[in-house]
Amino acid sequence: MSSAFIPQEASCSCYSNTYTINNKPIGRFICHCTICQEFTGQAYNDVTVLLKSDVSELKLINTKFRRWKLPPNINRGLCTRCNKPSIVMAVGGNLILVPTANYPDGAALPEPTMHLFYNRRVEDMDDDLPKYKGFVQSQAMMVKVLAQGRYKRVAKR
Ligand SMILES: [Zn+2]
């Protein structure tokens, strides 16, 4: 955690949508929920969490936002060209979720800390990370980790 985060220009897989990540994500987790599966077209969504102020220069002309039924407070943006995740706005846009695949340099990202909605998994994960099941448990863990991440960020200033 000692090295400073070098800003990265993240994008969807075809680079039609771009934005700059200016800060190390406050969290990273792997979500196995069926919405994330549909959204990414993959078995799970390996995703980072950022504060709104960490992301700048958003060029999202080719992003179409959509709300799935759950969780209600998340706006998922898909690229209209490559049909892959562009960017996700949560909690009224105060949190931004960016799939790790959208970063040019994934090595600079924090390690994932947990699996969410593990009961929906397509494949078993061979790691020692905590695995949370179901909506209530997964949602509670996400809120807790985000609160800790936000607190750490504020405490650093
Ligand atoms: Zn695209």
Side-chain angles (χ1 to χ4, degrees):
M1 303 283 162
S2 53
S3 59
F5 186 82
I6 299 161
Q8 296 191 27
E9 186 177 71
S11 68
C12 64
S13 71
C14 76
Y15 305 100
S16 301
N17 301 282
T18 59
Y19 42 91
T20 303
I21 311 281
N22 299 295
N23 233 323
K24 191 178 185 123
I26 60 171
R28 176 179 172 187
F29 59 87
I30 296 170
C31 187
H32 298 261
C33 84
T34 50
I35 294 169
C36 276
Q37 289 171 21
E38 186 185 334
F39 179 58
T40 59
Q42 293 177 325
Y44 53 81
N45 189 9
D46 181 351
V47 70
T48 62
V49 184
L50 298 139
L51 303 181
K52 185 184 189 178
S53 54
D54 295 339
V55 185
S56 63
E57 295 168 80
L58 289 88
K59 300 190 184 80
L60 304 174
I61 302 161
N62 295 303
T63 296
K64 190 178 176 196
F65 285 99
R66 177 181 162 194
R67 280 171 199 271
W68 270 261
K69 204 167 78 182
L70 285 170
N73 220 352
I74 293 187
N75 232 341
R76 290 176 166 83
L78 268 181
C79 174
T80 56
R81 292 192 175 162
C82 66
N83 215 32
K84 287 286 183 184
S86 170
I87 196 167
V88 177
M89 309 292 187
V91 200
N94 289 312
L95 286 178
I96 293 182
L97 308 184
V98 174
T100 53
N102 289 17
Y103 289 81
D105 180 14
L109 301 176
E111 291 297 315
T113 57
M114 59 184 175
H115 294 275
L116 298 182
F117 293 94
Y118 195 63
N119 55 314
R120 299 288 196 173
R121 70 190 178 280
V122 172
E123 50 191 71
D124 285 344
M125 296 287 114
D126 185 20
D127 60 39
D128 296 328
L129 298 178
K131 298 172 175 71
Y132 299 100
K133 294 172 184 175
F135 182 74
V136 173
Q137 209 184 19
S138 296
Q139 186 86 337
M141 281 317 298
M142 186 148 71
V143 168
K144 186 179 161 196
V145 166
L146 297 186
Q148 286 169 346
R150 287 181 116 161
Y151 176 76
K152 264 191 241 164
R153 180 68 59 73
V154 171
K156 232 168 54 177
R157 281 188 184 135

